[in-house]
Amino acid sequence: MPGVLEGVRVVDVSSGIAGAVATMVLADHGADVMKIEPPGGDPMRAYGGSVVWHRNKRSAVVDLEEAADRDRFRSLLTTADVLLHSFPHGTMERWGLGYDDLSRGLPSLVYTSITGYVRGTAAQDRPAIDLLVQARSGQQYEQPGWREGPIFLPRPLPSLGASFLLL
């Protein structure tokens, strides 16, 4: 039985748990997900959970720092319905791959990004590392533990929350 997203093509150029889990759910529902990785692969593949997070996806290596690879990436986007990235604020724009750049030639492309902090705020350039988001939001302070002080959450709740907000 085909999934509800059969025929939807997603290009995932994110790194980290949030993008991987979001596109995993899309792939589980039938979307064709192409995971774009930098040369050397996505650093998150070193974690055991990545075997699960990247299931049902195809992957390709593209170096977005290189102009020729950016041209290949743009060609790939002509067949896509959705683009997901998790680069820091301004990175895609610097490469000529921002929403304004791509929406002119690809008006039907759904352009999504997962960031740790809202764009246009003083925190927009902060690293979106799960443990830092936990600390800044007070989640580590509220976590009960066996000692005084911050306690790391046993699960990456900020990343998981962000992945489900994308869906």
Side-chain angles (χ1 to χ4, degrees), residues 20-144:
V21 170
T23 55
M24 174 194 73
V25 172
L26 297 175
D28 286 350
H29 288 283
D32 175 18
V33 178
M34 173 64 77
K35 169 75 174 135
I36 303 300
E37 302 187 38
D42 185 345
M44 289 301 293
R45 288 203 184 261
Y47 294 92
S50 73
V51 173
V52 174
W53 306 328
H54 294 303
R55 68 180 180 228
N56 298 326
K57 300 177 190 178
R58 297 179 294 133
S59 66
V61 174
V62 176
D63 187 354
L64 293 175
E65 295 284 346
E66 299 294 328
D69 276 11
R70 285 194 299 271
D71 290 340
R72 285 184 32 226
F73 183 72
R74 281 187 198 90
S75 293
L76 179 63
L77 291 178
T78 63
T79 65
D81 300 297
V82 178
L83 167 64
L84 167 64
H85 80 83
S86 63
F87 290 109
H89 176 69
T91 303
M92 293 290 274
E93 290 78 8
R94 187 180 75 237
W95 289 331
L97 299 171
Y99 174 78
D100 291 338
D101 302 307
L102 294 177
S103 65
R104 285 189 290 270
L106 302 167
S108 64
L109 181 69
V110 176
Y111 188 101
T112 60
S113 66
I114 293 181
T115 59
Y117 301 96
V118 177
R119 292 177 191 234
T121 66
Q124 75 180 9
D125 293 324
R126 287 181 169 274
I129 298 167
D130 199 276
L131 294 176
L132 297 177
V133 175
Q134 288 178 26
R136 186 166 169 84
S137 67
Q139 292 178 24
Q140 291 177 352
Y141 179 78
E142 296 296 331
Q143 180 70 20

